[in-house]
Amino acid sequence: MLAAGMVSLKREREVDVDDDDNEDRGAGLKSHAYTHSVQFTHHVFLNLHTLKFYCLPDNYEIIDSSLEDITYVLKPTFTKQHIAGLDKQGKLYRAYDGTTYLPGIVGLNNIKANDYANVVLQAFSNVPPLRNYFLEEENYRGIRRPPGDIMFLLVQRFGELMRKLWNPRNFKAHVSPHEMLQAVVLCSKKNFQITKQGDAVDFMTWFLNALHGALGGTKKKPSIITKAFQGSMRIFSKKLPHPDLLPEEKEALLVTEEYQEQMSESTFLFLTLDLPTAPLYKDEKEQLIIPQVPLFNILGKFNGSTEKEYKTYKENFLKRFQLTKLPPYLVFCIKRFTKNNFFVEKNPTIVNFPITNVDLREYLTEEAQVTEKNTTYDLVANVVHDGKPTEGAYRIHVLHHGTGKWYEMQDLQVTDILPQMITLSEAYIQIWKRQESDDDTNNHTGA
């Protein structure tokens, strides 16, 4: 059993688990726990709901402080003082199996094909305001949800996973996301599976919006999600005449009100950056050239003047974008995949980006340039997709705030990495932190 497997690493005796939430029924004469204790002479049992230990078949509670480390692993708790110091030190901790690890820089099991979700969960676990909020269960325990609503399960499981990832007293230097992923499968109505490879951006989009809603957030009511990640922009949109029309017909339509440029305001939780079309030609050695593009080139989409055509089933529009508010943590999604009815294509273009000091002031409106005091960002997480579009694998680069060092995580594997190596990867999702104190978000950890 899980608990026995973990505890036997430290003790010679075994502890079995009883997940029945009814103490009497769980330890009763007809219970599985009672039968197991007699058949296999395993006598110490832990009730996973009450976190109390019992001796069976005698059925009495065991009160022993030496067992506290087991209950702490199952349900880690964090004081405000502990949370406040998480990003100020880089102390290595020793797991009970003898391995050393940095809390927060912890591998996640790939149960079958859930690496697309693992990298997103690991990325968010290293966003301090989000992490701090979920490390304290009191922050969200009192949120009321409608009867029969299952979405709050997502909040509970994410909080549990966050506390396990940052637990300084883990049995092993990795964590299983199984309960978290079961909640994802249930709450997404099986749109995201453990056994089927998914898209990290699709999962992240759903996860952020689902968490925001489950925390009681709406378009007008904020949550820790919107406080950390939400910015705003202006969208200028102009309808285009159908290309098959005669020139004079197009000119007649362009002067009508319907075809004039419209401006709207919109919020965002992440920005999608479009890659230029990858060239198909080869070099003199008959090898495909891997194109490269500077980050600031693809950020030009948001400079307020770059126009891009968007096609729908019936109509075409010309759009341009300009930012009006920058969030404390800015998420970029680099659009690598193009899907059509037959197959998925991947653009292998390498984006050249600095790790620190990316200034986004020029992408703000003139009014916003006055009100936004700090517009410079540093990279804190970088999700990479390797391989073919439908059967590739994901890994993530994460900055450990306490040590200032970068680490690469791919499922259970955790290794340190040089910052200059990060820029050579096929980045897919990036999280950037604004260069200023976290006061504006840390003040909201109890929201």
Side-chain angles (χ1 to χ4, degrees):
M1 306 187 87
L2 181 62
M6 291 194 297
V7 176
S8 62
L9 294 170
K10 185 183 178 190
R11 296 188 176 83
E12 293 298 321
R13 65 184 185 275
E14 291 183 328
V15 175
D16 287 294
V17 297
D18 167 23
D19 60 0
D20 197 317
D21 57 357
N22 183 306
E23 288 182 64
D24 295 330
R25 188 168 69 242
L29 295 176
K30 295 182 180 180
S31 70
H32 294 296
Y34 182 91
T35 305
H36 184 83
S37 71
V38 175
Q39 286 182 341
F40 298 96
T41 64
H42 291 173
H43 299 300
V44 181
F45 283 76
L46 169 62
N47 185 304
L48 292 178
H49 296 273
T50 63
L51 297 183
K52 292 180 180 179
F53 290 90
Y54 293 91
C55 182
L56 297 180
D58 299 335
N59 196 18
Y60 61 84
E61 185 181 350
I62 302 169
I63 299 174
D64 187 338
S65 60
S66 70
L67 297 171
E68 191 266 337
D69 57 340
I70 301 171
T71 55
Y72 190 88
V73 164
L74 286 169
K75 194 172 183 180
T77 53
F78 293 80
T79 63
K80 282 181 167 55
Q81 185 179 7
H82 185 181
I83 292 170
L86 286 176
D87 296 327
K88 296 175 182 175
Q89 53 90 17
K91 180 183 175 183
L92 282 168
Y93 288 84
R94 187 175 296 277
Y96 289 132
D97 67 354
T99 54
T100 55
Y101 70 99
L102 278 169
I105 308 296
V106 176
L108 287 173
N109 291 79
N110 188 350
I111 298 162
K112 188 168 183 183
N114 54 275
D115 56 335
Y116 73 95
N118 284 358
V119 290
V120 172
L121 296 171
Q122 285 166 321
F124 289 151
S125 75
N126 279 277
V127 174
L130 197 65
R131 174 202 66 199
N132 296 353
Y133 179 88
F134 280 97
L135 285 180
E136 285 193 274
E137 195 176 357
E138 307 84 68
N139 288 333
Y140 56 83
R141 186 188 286 140
I143 293 174
R144 293 183 179 181
R145 301 297 300 159
D149 177 60
I150 61 167
M151 297 304 289
F152 196 68
L153 184 65
L154 208 62
V155 173
Q156 293 171 316
R157 293 290 178 263
F158 187 54
E160 290 167 6
L161 179 66
M162 198 76 80
R163 290 188 286 277
K164 288 176 182 177
L165 286 170
W166 285 90
N167 181 4
R169 293 157 61 181
N170 272 330
F171 281 160
K172 297 179 181 179
H174 62 264
V175 169
S176 171
H178 192 255
E179 292 88 353
M180 173 76 238
L181 295 171
Q182 282 182 317
V184 166
V185 173
L186 179 66
C187 295
S188 71
K189 298 177 181 177
K190 298 186 178 179
N191 282 330
F192 299 102
Q193 302 269 3
I194 297 173
T195 55
K196 184 182 176 183
Q197 181 68 288
D199 183 281
V201 170
D202 290 346
F203 172 68
M204 183 195 72
T205 305
W206 172 82
F207 189 63
L208 284 176
N209 285 290
L211 269 186
H212 173 63
L215 289 167
T218 62
K219 284 188 176 181
K220 293 184 178 180
K221 185 181 177 183
S223 72
I224 189 63
I225 303 297
T226 54
K227 287 171 184 173
F229 299 115
Q230 185 171 278
S232 60
M233 68 171 79
R234 280 183 187 159
I235 302 173
F236 301 88
S237 181
K238 186 163 56 178
K239 188 176 177 180
L240 296 175
H242 195 281
D244 294 341
L245 292 175
L246 295 171
E248 55 268 26
E249 291 176 315
K250 290 181 183 178
E251 288 178 19
L253 286 173
L254 287 172
V255 296
T256 62
E257 188 176 344
E258 184 183 355
Y259 287 82
Q260 301 310 301
E261 187 173 71
Q262 308 290 324
M263 187 196 77
S264 60
E265 297 273 349
S266 178
T267 57
F268 64 84
L269 291 176
F270 61 87
L271 296 176
T272 301
L273 305 182
D274 303 313
L275 291 173
T277 304
L280 299 176
Y281 52 81
K282 298 180 180 181
D283 64 9
E284 62 273 10
K285 294 180 181 178
E286 287 297 304
Q287 293 177 326
L288 281 173
I289 296 169
I290 298 176
Q292 300 185 35
V293 62
L295 174 66
F296 290 102
N297 282 24
I298 56 177
L299 276 170
K301 174 181 178 180
F302 300 99
N303 62 13
S305 58
T306 300
E307 292 183 316
K308 185 184 176 184
E309 188 173 344
Y310 290 83
K311 297 180 180 181
T312 65
Y313 181 68
K314 290 183 177 180
E315 299 171 321
N316 294 354
F317 291 88
L318 211 55
K319 292 187 178 184
R320 54 191 180 94
F321 308 88
Q322 197 164 22
L323 306 180
T324 54
K325 183 173 181 278
L326 292 169
Y329 287 82
L330 184 60
V331 181
F332 291 155
C333 294
I334 298 168
K335 192 174 181 182
R336 292 203 170 272
F337 301 104
T338 306
K339 302 173 185 177
N340 61 32
N341 294 333
F342 304 103
F343 54 88
V344 180
E345 283 186 288
K346 181 183 176 183
N347 189 326
T349 300
I350 300 294
V351 178
N352 296 320
F353 55 89
I355 298 291
T356 58
N357 297 318
V358 170
D359 192 352
L360 301 176
R361 183 167 295 278
E362 65 180 280
Y363 308 105
L364 289 165
T365 60
E366 289 184 10
E367 309 93 274
Q369 288 185 26
V370 175
T371 56
E372 293 277 336
K373 294 178 183 176
N374 202 326
T375 57
T376 306
Y377 286 78
D378 298 332
L379 187 70
V380 294
N382 183 58
V383 171
V384 179
H385 182 273
D386 297 308
K388 296 179 181 178
T390 52
E391 52 190 63
Y394 287 95
R395 55 193 166 100
I396 182 171
H397 304 125
V398 169
L399 173 68
H400 184 264
H401 299 281
T403 61
K405 292 181 179 179
W406 281 90
Y407 292 86
E408 179 176 284
M409 294 187 281
Q410 186 165 20
D411 301 327
L412 297 180
Q413 294 181 319
V414 179
T415 53
D416 51 2
I417 185 171
L418 293 171
Q420 54 265 39
M421 298 299 292
I422 296 169
T423 61
L424 303 176
S425 60
E426 295 179 26
Y428 191 34
I429 300 171
Q430 295 184 329
I431 301 180
W432 296 77
K433 178 186 177 184
R434 188 163 56 195
Q435 283 184 2
E436 60 184 18
S437 70
D438 281 328
D439 292 345
D440 54 345
T441 48
N442 280 347
N443 289 337
H444 298 129
T445 55

